[in-house]
Every structure is written in structure tokens, then in C-alpha cells.
Amino acid sequence: MDDELNALRRTRMRWNTPLSEAHASVLLDRLDLGEGPHLVDLGCGWGELLLRASERAPALRVTGVDADEVALARGRSAARERGLAVEFTSSDAATWDTPVERAFCIGAAHVFGSTKAGLAGLARVVPSGRLLYGDGFWAAPPNPAALEIFGPDTLTLPELVDTAADAGWRVRHLSVADQLEWDDFESTSRAGWEEWLAAHPADPRAGEVREWLDRRLREYVRDYRGVLGLAYLVLTR
């Protein structure tokens, strides 16, 4: 897909994770932003949660790191519109090597290679402080299709917690996305393209967009709804 359509697909999404406003507020509370002078979001996308953190703690130095230029442009535009001094950096998040006191890494462990490698690498990023870590887990035994979509390295929730402990983290907070959060996430991930498709049915790209939308909905309701979970851990060292 071209950059125009890639940007359009996410226009109805608040953030690129299954998370409600109320749940996000709880996570930011648990992160205790006032005690950390520098917050970095590794794999920030357009950084909406990062912007919320900056609004809560204006004295905080805030940096988002991602390789997706389309998402970064959206984040920079939002920061300007809201008068927030948030820096968005185009880089491979796994190469960040400056220690900070607070960090986010939500749905981005894959940039390190695996959950285990991600939690170990993030321990070097946050040698002392708090990390908000979000990752998928099997909430129910996966069928072969779900395994193919998400890969064999996805853990169960107990395995995820054990992996964090093995990397030297302590769990200060644990919560998981509920079904409404997941349904809203999946619906908004399709909404931008559904609106575009309704307005441009004869566009040469319409067939490819329609195929993607139909496949995504089919996979969600048949293969991983209620099977794939998303855990949010606030971790300390």
C-alpha cells in the first residue's frame, strides 16, 4: 500500500493497541511520571500515549522512537497542535542506548527479536526506574491459524511474567485488555479504510483494500478473538 493509504488506515485509531481511555489513565498513574526526568517510548508509532504523558508532566523530557515515518509525521503534527515539546526520532528502537528513568515499550518487543530479548534489552535502557511494557500473550490455547499469524514465540501470561522476572524486573502493576478494548481496537483499525472504500469503490486500489479488510475481520473473529490477549506490565528494577 502507498503512504496515503497507510496513513488513512490508522486515522480512526486513538493508539495502536487495545486500550481504553480509563485504562490508559491507570497505566500512566502507575508509571509515576513525576519521578522520572526523561521518558522514552521505544516503538512509539504516532505516540498518543506519549503525548498524554507530556500533558500530565510538562517538565518531563519526552522522546518517541520509531522507524515508521508516516506515524512519526502524525505524532509531530499532534505535538505541534497541542503545544507539547515531544521529540520524535526516526530510528530502530532496538538501537536506543541512552539510559532513562521511565520508558514505554508497547507491542514493540519484536524489534529486539523476541519477548525475552526485549525485556533483557529494556533492562539496559531502564537500569533504575519504571517501564510500561505491553505484549501479546495466549489467553486461550491457539489454533493453527493463530499460531501462524502471531508465531510460536508468543507466551502465556504466566510465562510472560516469569520472563520479566528472569530479566530482573519486578511487577508493580499488571492488567490486560478486555474484550471491549480489543473489539474497539480491531474495529477502528479497519474504520479508516472502510470509509475510504465506501467513498472510492472504483479506485484501482479498492480491490486490494477490500481484500485486506475482509481478511483482517475474518482472522479476528475466527482465529484470535478471545485467544490473543494483551498484557500491560509496569515493571521496576
Short mmCIF file of all heavy atoms in Angstrom, two decimals, residues 109-138:
data_model
loop_
_atom_site.label_atom_id
_atom_site.label_comp_id
_atom_site.label_asym_id
_atom_site.label_seq_id
_atom_site.Cartn_x
_atom_site.Cartn_y
_atom_site.Cartn_z
N ALA A 109 8.15 -5.40 21.21
CA ALA A 109 9.26 -6.30 21.59
C ALA A 109 9.88 -6.96 20.37
O ALA A 109 11.05 -7.35 20.39
CB ALA A 109 8.77 -7.35 22.57
N HIS A 110 9.09 -7.08 19.29
CA HIS A 110 9.60 -7.75 18.08
C HIS A 110 10.83 -7.05 17.51
O HIS A 110 11.64 -7.68 16.83
CB HIS A 110 8.51 -7.82 17.02
CG HIS A 110 8.01 -6.49 16.57
ND1 HIS A 110 7.01 -5.82 17.25
CD2 HIS A 110 8.37 -5.68 15.55
CE1 HIS A 110 6.77 -4.66 16.66
NE2 HIS A 110 7.60 -4.55 15.62
N VAL A 111 11.00 -5.75 17.78
CA VAL A 111 12.17 -5.05 17.23
C VAL A 111 13.45 -5.57 17.87
O VAL A 111 14.54 -5.43 17.29
CB VAL A 111 12.06 -3.52 17.38
CG1 VAL A 111 10.80 -2.99 16.73
CG2 VAL A 111 12.17 -3.07 18.83
N PHE A 112 13.34 -6.15 19.07
CA PHE A 112 14.50 -6.74 19.73
C PHE A 112 14.71 -8.20 19.30
O PHE A 112 15.75 -8.78 19.59
CB PHE A 112 14.34 -6.70 21.25
CG PHE A 112 14.31 -5.30 21.82
CD1 PHE A 112 13.11 -4.61 21.97
CD2 PHE A 112 15.48 -4.67 22.19
CE1 PHE A 112 13.09 -3.34 22.51
CE2 PHE A 112 15.47 -3.40 22.73
CZ PHE A 112 14.28 -2.72 22.89
N GLY A 113 13.72 -8.79 18.68
CA GLY A 113 13.82 -10.17 18.21
C GLY A 113 12.86 -11.11 18.90
O GLY A 113 12.38 -12.06 18.29
N SER A 114 12.54 -10.86 20.17
CA SER A 114 11.64 -11.72 20.92
C SER A 114 11.27 -11.03 22.22
O SER A 114 11.90 -10.02 22.61
CB SER A 114 12.29 -13.08 21.22
OG SER A 114 13.37 -12.91 22.14
N THR A 115 10.29 -11.58 22.93
CA THR A 115 9.92 -11.04 24.23
C THR A 115 11.10 -11.13 25.20
O THR A 115 11.41 -10.17 25.92
CB THR A 115 8.72 -11.80 24.80
OG1 THR A 115 7.58 -11.56 23.96
CG2 THR A 115 8.39 -11.37 26.22
N LYS A 116 11.76 -12.27 25.23
CA LYS A 116 12.90 -12.46 26.14
C LYS A 116 14.01 -11.45 25.85
O LYS A 116 14.53 -10.80 26.77
CB LYS A 116 13.44 -13.88 26.00
CG LYS A 116 14.60 -14.19 26.93
CD LYS A 116 15.05 -15.63 26.79
CE LYS A 116 16.22 -15.94 27.73
NZ LYS A 116 16.66 -17.36 27.61
N ALA A 117 14.35 -11.30 24.57
CA ALA A 117 15.40 -10.34 24.21
C ALA A 117 14.96 -8.91 24.50
O ALA A 117 15.77 -8.07 24.91
CB ALA A 117 15.76 -10.50 22.73
N GLY A 118 13.68 -8.63 24.29
CA GLY A 118 13.17 -7.29 24.54
C GLY A 118 13.26 -6.91 26.01
O GLY A 118 13.74 -5.83 26.36
N LEU A 119 12.82 -7.80 26.89
CA LEU A 119 12.85 -7.49 28.32
C LEU A 119 14.30 -7.38 28.83
O LEU A 119 14.58 -6.58 29.72
CB LEU A 119 12.08 -8.56 29.09
CG LEU A 119 10.56 -8.43 28.96
CD1 LEU A 119 9.87 -9.71 29.41
CD2 LEU A 119 10.04 -7.23 29.75
N ALA A 120 15.20 -8.16 28.26
CA ALA A 120 16.61 -8.04 28.63
C ALA A 120 17.20 -6.73 28.13
O ALA A 120 17.92 -6.03 28.85
CB ALA A 120 17.40 -9.23 28.08
N GLY A 121 16.89 -6.37 26.88
CA GLY A 121 17.39 -5.12 26.32
C GLY A 121 16.84 -3.90 27.03
O GLY A 121 17.56 -2.92 27.28
N LEU A 122 15.59 -3.96 27.41
CA LEU A 122 14.96 -2.83 28.10
C LEU A 122 15.51 -2.66 29.51
O LEU A 122 15.48 -1.56 30.06
CB LEU A 122 13.45 -3.04 28.14
CG LEU A 122 12.77 -2.89 26.77
CD1 LEU A 122 11.38 -3.53 26.79
CD2 LEU A 122 12.68 -1.42 26.36
N ALA A 123 16.05 -3.73 30.09
CA ALA A 123 16.69 -3.61 31.40
C ALA A 123 17.93 -2.72 31.33
O ALA A 123 18.30 -2.07 32.31
CB ALA A 123 17.07 -4.99 31.93
N ARG A 124 18.57 -2.66 30.16
CA ARG A 124 19.71 -1.76 29.99
C ARG A 124 19.24 -0.32 29.74
O ARG A 124 19.92 0.63 30.11
CB ARG A 124 20.58 -2.26 28.83
CG ARG A 124 21.23 -3.62 29.09
CD ARG A 124 22.21 -3.99 28.01
NE ARG A 124 21.55 -4.31 26.74
CZ ARG A 124 21.09 -5.51 26.43
NH1 ARG A 124 21.21 -6.52 27.29
NH2 ARG A 124 20.51 -5.73 25.26
N VAL A 125 18.06 -0.18 29.13
CA VAL A 125 17.51 1.16 28.88
C VAL A 125 17.03 1.79 30.19
O VAL A 125 17.20 2.99 30.41
CB VAL A 125 16.36 1.08 27.86
CG1 VAL A 125 15.69 2.44 27.70
CG2 VAL A 125 16.87 0.59 26.51
N VAL A 126 16.42 0.98 31.05
CA VAL A 126 15.90 1.48 32.33
C VAL A 126 16.64 0.73 33.46
O VAL A 126 16.09 -0.20 34.05
CB VAL A 126 14.38 1.27 32.45
CG1 VAL A 126 13.82 1.98 33.68
CG2 VAL A 126 13.65 1.76 31.21
N PRO A 127 17.87 1.11 33.75
CA PRO A 127 18.62 0.41 34.80
C PRO A 127 18.04 0.64 36.18
O PRO A 127 18.22 -0.17 37.10
CB PRO A 127 20.03 1.00 34.68
CG PRO A 127 19.84 2.34 34.03
CD PRO A 127 18.67 2.18 33.11
N SER A 128 17.33 1.77 36.36
CA SER A 128 16.68 2.07 37.63
C SER A 128 15.51 3.00 37.33
O SER A 128 15.71 4.13 36.90
CB SER A 128 17.65 2.74 38.60
OG SER A 128 17.01 3.10 39.80
N GLY A 129 14.30 2.52 37.51
CA GLY A 129 13.13 3.33 37.19
C GLY A 129 11.94 2.44 36.90
O GLY A 129 11.82 1.35 37.46
N ARG A 130 11.08 2.90 36.00
CA ARG A 130 9.86 2.15 35.69
C ARG A 130 9.66 2.04 34.17
O ARG A 130 9.90 2.99 33.43
CB ARG A 130 8.63 2.82 36.31
CG ARG A 130 8.69 2.89 37.81
CD ARG A 130 7.35 3.23 38.44
NE ARG A 130 7.49 3.36 39.88
CZ ARG A 130 6.49 3.31 40.75
NH1 ARG A 130 5.25 3.17 40.31
NH2 ARG A 130 6.72 3.44 42.04
N LEU A 131 9.21 0.88 33.79
CA LEU A 131 8.94 0.57 32.39
C LEU A 131 7.49 0.15 32.25
O LEU A 131 7.01 -0.73 32.97
CB LEU A 131 9.84 -0.58 31.93
CG LEU A 131 9.48 -1.29 30.62
CD1 LEU A 131 9.70 -0.37 29.42
CD2 LEU A 131 10.29 -2.58 30.47
N LEU A 132 6.77 0.77 31.31
CA LEU A 132 5.44 0.30 30.92
C LEU A 132 5.63 -0.60 29.71
O LEU A 132 5.99 -0.13 28.63
CB LEU A 132 4.52 1.47 30.59
CG LEU A 132 3.15 1.11 29.99
CD1 LEU A 132 2.39 0.12 30.86
CD2 LEU A 132 2.34 2.35 29.71
N TYR A 133 5.40 -1.88 29.91
CA TYR A 133 5.66 -2.88 28.87
C TYR A 133 4.34 -3.53 28.46
O TYR A 133 3.59 -4.03 29.31
CB TYR A 133 6.63 -3.94 29.41
CG TYR A 133 6.98 -5.02 28.42
CD1 TYR A 133 7.91 -4.79 27.42
CD2 TYR A 133 6.36 -6.27 28.48
CE1 TYR A 133 8.23 -5.78 26.50
CE2 TYR A 133 6.68 -7.26 27.57
CZ TYR A 133 7.61 -7.01 26.58
OH TYR A 133 7.92 -7.99 25.66
N GLY A 134 4.05 -3.53 27.18
CA GLY A 134 2.85 -4.18 26.67
C GLY A 134 3.20 -5.27 25.69
O GLY A 134 4.04 -5.06 24.80
N ASP A 135 2.58 -6.43 25.84
CA ASP A 135 2.92 -7.54 24.94
C ASP A 135 1.73 -8.49 24.82
O ASP A 135 0.93 -8.62 25.75
CB ASP A 135 4.13 -8.30 25.47
CG ASP A 135 4.94 -8.98 24.36
OD1 ASP A 135 4.44 -9.08 23.22
OD2 ASP A 135 6.08 -9.40 24.65
N GLY A 136 1.67 -9.17 23.68
CA GLY A 136 0.64 -10.16 23.47
C GLY A 136 0.93 -11.44 24.23
O GLY A 136 2.08 -11.75 24.55
N PHE A 137 -0.13 -12.16 24.55
CA PHE A 137 0.01 -13.47 25.20
C PHE A 137 -1.18 -14.33 24.80
O PHE A 137 -2.22 -13.82 24.37
CB PHE A 137 0.10 -13.33 26.73
CG PHE A 137 -1.20 -12.88 27.37
CD1 PHE A 137 -2.13 -13.80 27.85
CD2 PHE A 137 -1.51 -11.52 27.49
CE1 PHE A 137 -3.32 -13.40 28.43
CE2 PHE A 137 -2.70 -11.10 28.07
CZ PHE A 137 -3.61 -12.04 28.54
N TRP A 138 -1.03 -15.63 24.96
CA TRP A 138 -2.15 -16.53 24.66
C TRP A 138 -3.10 -16.56 25.85
O TRP A 138 -2.76 -17.06 26.92
CB TRP A 138 -1.66 -17.94 24.37
CG TRP A 138 -0.83 -18.08 23.14
CD1 TRP A 138 0.39 -18.67 23.02
CD2 TRP A 138 -1.18 -17.66 21.80
NE1 TRP A 138 0.85 -18.63 21.72
CE2 TRP A 138 -0.09 -18.02 20.96
CE3 TRP A 138 -2.27 -17.00 21.25
CZ2 TRP A 138 -0.09 -17.74 19.58
CZ3 TRP A 138 -2.27 -16.73 19.89
CH2 TRP A 138 -1.21 -17.10 19.08
#
